[in-house]
């Protein structure tokens, strides 16, 4: 009987030493990207319903729920060197999710209409999009992606512009369309990116963890 042996894992040279990439690492990246894709598709479909004035406005709430859940999955599997920033984005997501649930339960009209007609609700729901912008910013800095460089300012401009009422309806529609399109482009491009790139330099994670433990 012959036994098969798995090929040795490739060893990478990091800033603070050598490291290998495990199957668990690869799985987390696949989950992260899948979450982004579901979030992008949900957002794009919802945006299309809004832009083309589809009467099925109630469909926006379940689409938004899918968007939130998928974004949450991505936020819990994304690789970010700064643990404090990672936790902060997760907290923002949690605040926005709780605010959205409360609004959806307490409002007598569809959630989308409540947020649109009452811009002050963005002080709660808006945290969801702060967390999303954090992902865009991280991807723009790490991979120099054009679409995320554009998305990073578009999201706060659209939301803050609506909050203070300085954007015309047509302007909001244009920004929403650009946002939905580039979000899809971003998610699609992630599917063909090499997996190790999203894992990053694991030696940095190890070093930062050791530094935190040394302070305890």
């Amino acid at each position: 009987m012959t036994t098969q042996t798995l090929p040795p894992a490739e060893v990478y040279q990091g800033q603070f030493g050598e490291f290998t990439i495990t199957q668990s690492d690869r799985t987390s990246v696949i989950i992260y990207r899948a979450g982004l894709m579901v979030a992008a598709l949900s957002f794009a479909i919802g945006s299309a319903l809004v832009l083309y004035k589809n009467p099925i406005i109630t469909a926006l709430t379940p689409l938004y729920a899918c968007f939130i859940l998928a974004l949450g999955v991505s936020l819990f599997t994304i690789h970010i060197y700064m643990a404090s920033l990672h936790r902060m984005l997760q907290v923002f997501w949690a605040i926005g999710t709780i605010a959205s649930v409360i609004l959806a339960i307490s409002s007598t009209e569809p959630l989308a209409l409540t947020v649109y007609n009452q811009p002050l609700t963005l002080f709660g729901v808006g945290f969801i999009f702060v967390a999303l912008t954090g992902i865009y910013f991280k991807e723009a800095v790490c991979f120099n992606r054009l679409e995320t460089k554009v998305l990073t300012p578009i999201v706060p401009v659209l939301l803050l512009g609506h909050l203070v009422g300085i954007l015309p309806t047509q302007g909001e529609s244009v920004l929403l369309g650009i946002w939905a399109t580039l979000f899809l482009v971003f998610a699609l491009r992630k599917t063909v990116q090499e997996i190790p790139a999203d894992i990053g330099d694991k030696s940095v994670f190890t070093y930062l963890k050791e530094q935190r433990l040394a302070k305890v």
Side-chain angles (χ1 to χ4, degrees):
M1 180 182 296
T2 59
T3 58
Q4 293 183 340
T5 58
L6 295 174
E10 183 175 354
V11 177
Y12 297 84
Q13 180 61 51
Q15 184 177 353
F16 297 99
E18 296 179 339
F19 66 92
T20 58
I21 293 177
T22 66
Q23 185 56 45
S24 176
D25 295 327
R26 293 179 179 275
T27 300
S28 68
V29 170
I30 292 171
I31 293 173
Y32 164 66
R33 294 178 180 180
L36 285 178
M37 181 59 72
V38 173
L41 285 172
S42 300
F43 189 81
I45 295 171
S47 298
L49 291 177
V50 171
L51 294 174
Y52 290 100
K53 297 178 174 58
N54 194 296
I56 314 176
I57 196 70
T58 53
L60 292 178
T61 300
L63 284 170
Y64 181 63
C66 288
F67 163 76
I68 287 179
L69 291 174
L71 180 61
V73 168
S74 291
L75 282 168
F76 279 86
T77 50
I78 190 174
H79 290 74
I80 298 179
Y81 292 131
M82 292 180 60
S84 57
L85 175 60
H86 193 180
R87 296 291 177 266
M88 183 173 65
L89 294 181
Q90 292 171 344
V91 169
F92 286 163
W93 172 85
I95 294 172
T97 299
I98 293 171
S100 298
V101 170
I102 292 174
L103 278 175
I105 293 174
S106 61
S107 179
T108 57
E109 59 183 359
L111 179 60
L113 287 178
T114 300
V115 175
Y116 184 79
N117 294 327
Q118 302 177 39
L120 289 179
T121 56
L122 288 172
F123 281 112
V125 175
F127 278 99
I128 285 284
F129 302 102
V130 174
L132 177 59
T133 304
I135 292 180
Y136 294 155
F137 179 75
K138 179 262 184 187
E139 292 281 343
V141 170
C142 292
F143 303 114
N144 197 32
R145 292 188 178 279
L146 176 60
E147 64 272 20
T148 51
K149 286 182 177 181
V150 176
L151 285 166
T152 299
I154 274 184
V155 178
V157 166
L158 176 55
L159 297 183
L160 291 175
H162 182 69
L163 178 63
V164 299
I166 61 173
L167 289 177
T169 302
Q170 186 62 33
E172 291 184 346
S173 297
V174 170
L175 289 178
L176 180 61
I178 295 173
W179 180 359
T181 301
L182 292 184
F183 193 0
L184 271 179
V185 170
F186 164 50
L188 286 170
R189 289 188 67 194
K190 292 300 290 183
T191 64
V192 296
Q193 184 178 5
E194 292 293 329
I195 284 181
D198 263 338
I199 296 170
D201 184 347
K202 288 179 65 178
S203 73
V204 174
F205 288 104
T206 301
Y207 172 78
L208 293 174
K209 183 178 181 180
E210 291 173 349
Q211 292 296 305
R212 290 195 299 271
L213 292 175
K215 294 178 181 179
V216 176

